[in-house]
Amino acid sequence: MTAENELIMKSFYQTIIDENEKEHPIKTLGVMYMEEMKGEQPELSAIRFAQGEVYFLNQDYEAAIYKWQHPLDKAFIPWGQKNIADAHMEMGLLDYAEKFYQEVETDSVLLKTEVLLQLFSLYIQQDKQEKAVDIIKKAVQLNPDYADVTEIAKRYFESIQDWDSAIELAINEAIRTESLHWFEVLEGYANLGVTANHEPSFFNNVLVTLYSIDKYQFERLTAGLWNSFKQSEFYFRWLEEINQLLLYENMEASYNWKKLPSLFKEGYFYFISGRFFMNDISALVPDHLTNWLAVSQVSDRLSSSAAILAWNELFPSALDAALVQEAEQAFKNASPSQNAKEEGIELLDSIKVWAEKEGMLEGLTEYMGPRLDEYKIEEVGPTRVRDVIKDALAYISDQQAELENVVLREIDWSEEVLTELHEFRQEILDVEKEKAKTMTSSFRDLEHKLMEKVQVKLPELLKNCSDLVKEDSDFSKLHLVLNEEMNNRMAHYMEMEVLADFKSATEEWLETSEREFQESQMLFNEVSENINEQFKEEKVVLSGDFKVLDDWKRDIERISRGASRFEEINILLRNNPSQLLLKGAGKLLAPLSKNKEMLLGRYKDYIENADYSEVAGEMTNTFTQQLQFFEESIEWDVNKFFLHPQEELHHIIEEVQAAIAEQNGSLNKMREQPELYQDPLILFELKLRHYDLMNEIGAIS
C-alpha cells in the first residue's frame, strides 16, 4: 500500500507520474489512462484515484467526486469515500459531508484519525459544540501522538472554557507522556482555580507520576491545587488526600521544599480552627503533622515541632513515638520565632470572635476588663499576652461548666413567665366577658324601662283625646280630626319626653361604661408593669381601644335623630267593626240633632276604652329595632376594646414558647453532643500550648 501520508495530502498522483514529466498532471494522467485502456486487463483504479486528487486540487470537485465514485481497488475505497466527503465539505455541503465521513469503514488508524479531525472541523463550522467535543476526544483517545491532535483539543477546550475536558486531557497526557509541558498546563489550570470543582482524588495519579519525575514541578502543581481547593467545599478532602499521598511516597528529606511548609501550617490551623469536632480530625492530624515536619526545612522547624509536642501533651499516645522524638530534637535545634507575639494576639482575637458567637463576649469583656484592651496588648510582651489568653480561657471554661445550669435556669424562668402570661391572659378574658355582660345587661335594663314607660304613656295620651269629642263636633269628619291629633300628641311625647329620657339614660350608661373601661385599662397597666418587670425591659404596653366610646356616642346620636322622625299612623281610619260603625253613624246621623247626644257618648266611650297597644308598638317599632341592634353590638365592641391587649399577650406567649423550645433544644444538644461545647476549649488550649512552646525557645535563647 502506498504511504498513507501521500493519501492524506492528496499527493498520491505524484507517485505514479514520471518526475521528469513536463506536461500538466491532468494531461499526463489522461494519456496514462488511454494507454492502460489498450491492455487486455487494464488496471485503472490507481489512475482514476490520482485523477480525482488532481481535479480536487484544481477545485473541480464534481469531477473529483465522479472519479472517486468509479470502481476502485479495495485499498482505495475508504480513502475515496473520505475524499468524497472532503469535496462536499469544500463545496459547503456539510450535511452530505458528515454523512460520507460517517460511512467510511477502515482498519487504518491514520484514516480514522483524519476522518475524526475532519468531522471535528465540520462540527465547529456548524457550531455543534457538544459533537465537536465528543469527536476530538475520540481522536485523542484513538491516536494521541498524531500531528498536534492533543494541542488542537487543548486549544479548543480552552476556547470554549470546557475546563473539565481540558483538565482531563492534561492529566491523561501528563501521565501518558510524562512531559513536563502537560504538568505545567495542569498547573496553569490550578492557578486559574478551575480545578477546584473536581474531587481531590482525581489528581492522585498525576501527582504520583510527577513526584517521581520532578520534585520542583511536583511542589508547584501541588501548591496550585492546594490554593485552588482552599475556597472550595473539597478543601478538607484535599488535605486527607495529599497527606495520604505524601505518606505513601515517603518524603525525601534531602529536598528543600519551599511552598509546602507554609501550606501545611495553614492546613494544620484549618484543622484546629473550630470548624470541626475533635472526632473529625483526630485521625487526620497525626498524618498531617508527620508530613509537615517532613517538608519543613531543618532551620525552620519550630512551628511544626511545637505543634507536634503540643498535640502530644494534650493527646498522649496519639502520635508515633519516633515522630515525637524527632520533633523534640527539632524543637531543641530550632531558631526563635520572630512573630510569636503576633500569633498570640491572633489567638486572642479568635477567642473573642468565638465568645461573641456564643454570646459570651460581654461577660468576657467585663471579666477581663482592661486586660483585653487592644492597644495595651500591642505594647506588652509575649508572656503577658499568654497570661491574658489563659485568663480568657479560664473564664470560658468556668462559663462552659456552668452552661447547663444556666440553660436550666433560663428554662425555669421562661416556664414561670409563661404560666404568668397565661394567667394574665385568662384574667383579661374573664374581665372582658364580665364587662361585656355588665354593659349589655345595663343597656338592656335601660331599654326595657324606657319602653315600658312608653307602652303605658302612649295609650293614656290616646285615650285622653276623648276630650276632643264635643257636642258641636262635625261627626262626619270627627274621625279624621281625631286621627291627626292622636298622631301629633304621640309625636310630641316621643320628641319631648322619650328622647329626653333616652339621652339622659344613655349618657349615664356611657359614663358607667367608660368607668368600666378605665378599670380594665388599670388592669392592662398592671399586667404591662408585671411583664416589663419580668423581662427587665419595656417589653409591652397594653392599651384598650377607647375609640369604642366615640363609636357608641355616634351610634346613640344617630338613634336619637332617627327617633324624632315619625310617619303618621292610621289609628281611627282602620277597618275594624267599631271604627266602621262610628264613621258610618257620623255620616248618617250627624245631620239629626237628636242623635248627636248618642254619638257623643259612643265616640267618647270608644276612644277611652280602645286597645292602643298595637298603635303604640307601631309608633315605637323603628326606635325599638335600633335599640336592639345597638344592644346586640355591645359585646362585639367590648371585644374590640380588649383586642390589642389579647393580641399582644398572644404574641409574647408565642415568643416565650419559642424561647423554651430553643432552650430545650440547646439543653438536649448539650447533653447529646457535649463536644459542641468542649471541643472549642480543647482547641484553644492546644493553640495556647503551641504558643507557649513557640515563645519558650525565645525565652531559652
Side-chain angles (χ1 to χ4, degrees), residues 142-210:
L142 175 68
N143 197 357
D145 290 320
Y146 182 71
D148 295 331
V149 67
T150 52
E151 281 297 324
I152 291 170
K154 169 183 170 294
R155 286 196 297 270
Y156 181 65
F157 294 151
E158 290 174 350
S159 70
I160 63 173
Q161 296 189 343
D162 182 356
W163 299 115
D164 289 347
S165 296
I167 291 166
E168 184 181 14
L169 173 69
I171 288 175
N172 291 339
E173 285 304 290
I175 294 172
R176 186 182 72 85
T177 65
E178 296 190 353
S179 166
L180 290 181
H181 163 70
W182 284 107
F183 292 106
E184 290 168 359
V185 169
L186 186 58
E187 181 190 340
Y189 295 155
N191 292 336
L192 282 175
V194 295
T195 54
N197 293 327
H198 290 270
E199 285 277 353
S201 59
F202 186 64
F203 301 96
N204 278 359
N205 290 339
V206 73
L207 287 172
V208 169
T209 302
L210 183 55

Side-chain angles (χ1 to χ4, degrees), residues 208-408:
V208 169
T209 302
L210 183 55
Y211 186 84
S212 65
I213 298 172
D214 190 307
K215 300 294 185 298
Y216 171 75
Q217 193 64 42
F218 169 82
E219 185 175 31
R220 286 175 59 92
L221 177 56
T222 301
L225 291 170
W226 197 310
N227 288 321
S228 74
F229 280 121
K230 275 183 193 176
Q231 306 303 321
S232 79
E233 60 181 305
F234 294 124
Y235 187 38
F236 190 91
R237 291 225 286 278
W238 162 256
L239 293 174
E240 290 180 284
E241 292 292 338
I242 194 62
N243 275 298
Q244 288 302 309
L245 186 150
L246 293 178
L247 279 177
Y248 180 79
E249 292 299 324
N250 194 13
M251 303 289 287
E252 289 187 14
S254 61
Y255 187 78
N256 186 10
W257 302 99
K258 297 178 176 60
K259 297 176 180 292
L260 292 187
S262 61
L263 291 172
F264 269 94
K265 181 178 180 180
E266 282 184 36
Y268 172 70
F269 283 103
Y270 173 74
F271 275 138
I272 66 171
S273 63
R275 294 176 176 88
F276 313 106
F277 294 132
M278 292 302 302
N279 284 341
D280 296 329
I281 63 172
S282 58
L284 303 175
V285 169
D287 291 344
H288 191 86
L289 291 173
T290 301
N291 286 322
W292 184 12
L293 188 65
V295 300
S296 298
Q297 298 180 29
V298 174
S299 60
D300 189 24
R301 283 182 147 192
L302 175 59
S303 189
S304 56
S305 60
I308 291 170
L309 297 179
W311 189 273
N312 188 57
E313 286 184 24
L314 265 71
F315 309 106
S317 305
L319 300 177
D320 184 76
L323 176 67
V324 175
Q325 187 176 359
E326 183 182 358
E328 288 173 346
Q329 189 61 40
F331 183 74
K332 290 177 184 177
N333 297 328
S335 302
S337 172
Q338 300 301 314
N339 59 347
K341 190 180 80 169
E342 284 70 19
E343 291 184 5
I345 293 173
E346 288 177 10
L347 174 55
L348 187 58
D349 289 339
S350 68
I351 291 171
K352 289 192 285 185
V353 169
W354 181 85
E356 183 176 19
K357 182 169 68 74
E358 296 297 319
M360 293 186 188
L361 183 58
E362 185 177 349
L364 178 63
T365 304
E366 291 178 3
Y367 174 77
M368 298 298 292
R371 285 174 292 187
L372 276 176
D373 188 295
E374 292 182 7
Y375 299 102
K376 291 181 182 178
I377 288 293
E378 292 289 346
E379 297 170 5
V380 300
T383 303
R384 181 57 179 153
V385 173
R386 183 245 187 218
D387 292 340
V388 172
I389 294 171
K390 197 168 182 64
D391 286 348
L393 293 181
Y395 171 80
I396 291 172
S397 179
D398 291 342
Q399 290 299 302
Q400 286 190 326
E402 179 65 13
L403 196 54
E404 184 172 337
N405 291 331
V406 169
V407 175
L408 284 170

Side-chain angles (χ1 to χ4, degrees), residues 43-88:
E43 292 291 336
L44 301 173
S45 179
I47 297 173
R48 286 197 190 99
F49 189 86
Q51 286 176 321
E53 288 182 333
V54 176
Y55 289 138
F56 182 93
L57 294 172
N58 286 277
Q59 299 184 345
D60 190 351
Y61 301 118
E62 291 184 359
I65 292 169
Y66 174 78
K67 286 294 181 179
W68 288 324
Q69 282 179 335
H70 272 70
L72 299 172
D73 287 346
K74 184 177 180 181
F76 286 115
I77 290 174
W79 288 97
Q81 187 79 5
K82 183 259 183 188
N83 288 347
I84 290 172
D86 290 348
H88 282 90

Side-chain angles (χ1 to χ4, degrees), residues 7 12 50 52 92 118 240 287 309 375 408 437 477 505 533 548 580 667 678 688:
L7 295 173
F12 166 74
Q118 288 295 94
E240 290 180 284
D287 291 344
L309 297 179
Y375 299 102
L408 284 170
K437 182 179 179 181
K477 296 180 180 178
E533 187 176 338
V548 169
L580 287 173
L667 184 63
Q678 296 171 1
L688 177 59

Side-chain angles (χ1 to χ4, degrees), residues 519-554:
E519 289 178 4
S520 302
Q521 184 59 51
M522 290 173 64
L523 172 62
F524 298 159
N525 295 342
E526 182 181 341
V527 170
S528 299
E529 186 177 344
N530 286 333
I531 292 173
N532 294 335
E533 187 176 338
Q534 286 281 18
F535 284 92
K536 293 182 174 55
E537 62 173 289
E538 193 72 11
K539 187 73 175 175
V540 68
V541 176
L542 302 180
S543 56
D545 186 0
F546 282 91
K547 288 189 294 183
V548 169
L549 289 169
D550 295 330
D551 294 340
W552 282 350
K553 291 174 183 177
R554 186 183 62 248

